[in-house]
Amino acid sequence: MFFERLRQILQSLVEAPHADPSAARYRLIGFEPEVRSSEIRQAVAMSLNDITNPDPAWDAMTVRESNIHEAYKIICIHSLQLMTIDDVNAVLQAGVDTAIDLFFGDWWKSEEEIHSREDADQEIVFFNSFADGLLLAILARRWEDVERISDWARQIDIASLCGVSQEIGALYAVIASGIRNEPTERAEHFRSIIAKQRTNKTKILLQAWDAVVAQDADVLAATMRESLERFDKTVEKQGVGFAFTQLIATPESVIYEIAQHNGMELPLLPDNLSPYLVTRQSLGLEETTAEA
C-alpha cells in the first residue's frame, strides 16, 4: 500500500526520534511550547497508529483522508524543525499517491452505498484532503498530479466542503483554474465572492496569486509579506499541542512554491515570517534561494 514506506519511517522515529528541543524555525516565529522529545515522539506515534490501525468504523474514504492529513502533519513537523525526517521525499510521495487514489482510484467499489466515481466525488467531505494533497504534490514536484488534482477541484464546488470558509474555498478554486491556465466563468464567480468579503485577508492572497500569474515579483513580495504578517497575528503560539499544521500558512505556501516553479524572484521574508511557509527549502530538498 502507499503508506508502507511511511509506516516504516514513523516506526523508526518512534523508536529513536530525532527531535531538537532548540529547533530554530519554530522558535523564530515565537512559538515557545514546552516541547520535549517524548511529546514529539507521542505525536508521531499517534500518526503511526492512525495509519497502521485505523478506526474500524472508518470507511475507505476516511482512511485515505486521514492518511493524507498524517503525511502533511509529519511534513509540517519536519519543516518547523521539531523533528528531522531522513527520507522526506518518501513522505511526500506517499501523501500524493494517497491523494491521487482518493480522487481518482477505485476504492469506492468496495463501498455498498457508492455506485460510481461521480458518487465518490460527492462523498469526499473535508477540504483539507484537497488542500493538503495539492500542496504535497507541489512540494513533490509532481506537476501532472498537481494538474489532475486541480481538475478534480474544478469539477466540484470545493467551497462547499467541510472545514473551509467560503472565501478560502473560492481562492483555491481560482488557483485551480489558474494552474490549468484555463480561466472559466466559475473562476470569475469565485473572484466575485472574494471581492464581496469585508475583510482583506483573502483579497490579499488573491492579489499574491494574481502577481504569480502576471510574473510581478514586487507585488508578490508585498502581498506575501502582508499576508504572513496577518497570519502571525492570528496564529495561536501557546497550547497548540499536536496541531502543528496550524503553524503553517498553507495557501501562502502553495502560492510561494508555484512562484518558485515559474522561475520568479522569490520574496525576501524576515526570519519571523518565513517559518510559516513549508517549502522545498524548509524541507531540505533544495538550497535556500531567498533570504531576508
Side-chain angles (χ1 to χ4, degrees):
M1 192 61 179
F2 310 120
F3 268 67
E4 178 57 28
R5 176 57 180 147
L6 178 57
R7 187 195 63 77
Q8 294 172 357
I9 293 171
L10 294 180
Q11 184 64 54
S12 68
L13 290 172
V14 170
E15 296 171 354
H18 305 284
D20 180 5
S22 62
R25 284 180 66 82
Y26 82 79
R27 290 188 182 278
L28 286 173
I29 59 177
F31 182 52
E32 293 288 347
E34 294 182 359
V35 175
R36 297 183 295 273
S37 176
S38 60
E39 291 177 327
I40 301 174
R41 184 172 63 224
Q42 182 180 354
V44 175
M46 291 169 63
S47 294
L48 176 63
N49 182 70
D50 284 344
I51 291 170
T52 306
N53 302 299
D55 190 320
W58 290 354
D59 57 20
M61 178 191 69
T62 303
V63 169
R64 284 157 177 78
E65 291 195 303
S66 173
N67 286 350
I68 294 168
H69 173 72
E70 297 305 330
Y72 184 58
K73 180 167 73 175
I74 296 303
I75 288 298
C76 292
I77 289 173
H78 179 81
S79 179
L80 290 165
Q81 295 182 332
L82 288 161
M83 178 176 283
T84 300
I85 310 298
D86 292 333
D87 194 348
V88 178
N89 189 59
V91 180
L92 288 174
Q93 299 301 329
V96 179
D97 286 345
T98 305
I100 292 300
D101 185 50
L102 174 66
F103 298 129
F104 304 103
D106 293 334
W107 54 267
W108 56 270
K109 293 182 178 179
S110 64
E111 303 296 309
E112 293 183 0
E113 298 180 358
I114 302 178
H115 305 292
S116 68
R117 180 66 248 184
E118 289 73 20
D119 288 346
D121 289 340
Q122 298 302 316
E123 291 295 319
I124 294 174
V125 174
F126 293 104
F127 175 80
N128 283 349
S129 299
F130 159 73
D132 295 350
L134 178 67
L135 181 52
L136 290 171
I138 291 171
L139 290 167
R141 294 298 187 260
R142 287 173 54 170
W143 294 107
E144 289 187 4
D145 289 326
V146 170
E147 291 184 356
R148 293 181 69 192
I149 293 171
S150 298
D151 277 341
W152 179 86
R154 294 196 312 152
Q155 294 170 15
I156 68 167
D157 182 7
I158 60 173
S160 68
L161 297 176
C162 292
V164 64
S165 63
Q166 185 183 39
E167 60 267 27
I168 290 296
L171 172 72
Y172 271 91
V174 173
I175 291 175
S177 178
I179 286 173
R180 294 296 289 155
N181 195 27
E182 297 174 357
T184 64
E185 291 183 5
R186 288 188 67 197
E188 292 305 314
H189 164 69
F190 288 120
R191 282 179 175 275
S192 69
I193 291 176
I194 296 172
K196 294 175 183 177
Q197 299 304 309
R198 293 183 177 180
T199 62
N200 289 326
K201 172 185 174 181
T202 314
K203 294 176 184 177
I204 294 168
L205 284 166
L206 181 58
Q207 290 171 6
W209 171 251
D210 286 341
V212 172
V213 175
Q215 294 277 301
D216 190 328
D218 291 338
V219 173
L220 175 62
T223 52
M224 185 67 71
R225 181 163 184 154
E226 183 176 357
S227 185
L228 289 173
E229 286 174 345
R230 287 172 173 268
F231 183 81
D232 178 65
K233 293 177 181 178
T234 60
V235 69
E236 177 60 55
K237 298 178 184 179
Q238 296 293 336
V240 172
F242 300 143
F244 301 116
T245 56
Q246 295 179 10
L247 295 173
I248 296 298
T250 305
E252 288 89 344
S253 297
V254 167
I255 293 169
Y256 182 96
E257 280 296 295
I258 293 178
Q260 178 169 262
H261 173 68
N262 290 350
M264 291 186 66
E265 178 183 347
L266 297 175
L268 300 177
L269 298 170
D271 288 343
N272 68 316
L273 296 180
S274 60
Y276 289 128
L277 299 177
V278 56
T279 67
R280 296 273 297 180
Q281 286 75 32
S282 72
L283 296 178
L285 298 174
E286 293 181 11
E287 295 183 2
T288 301
T289 57
E291 298 179 353

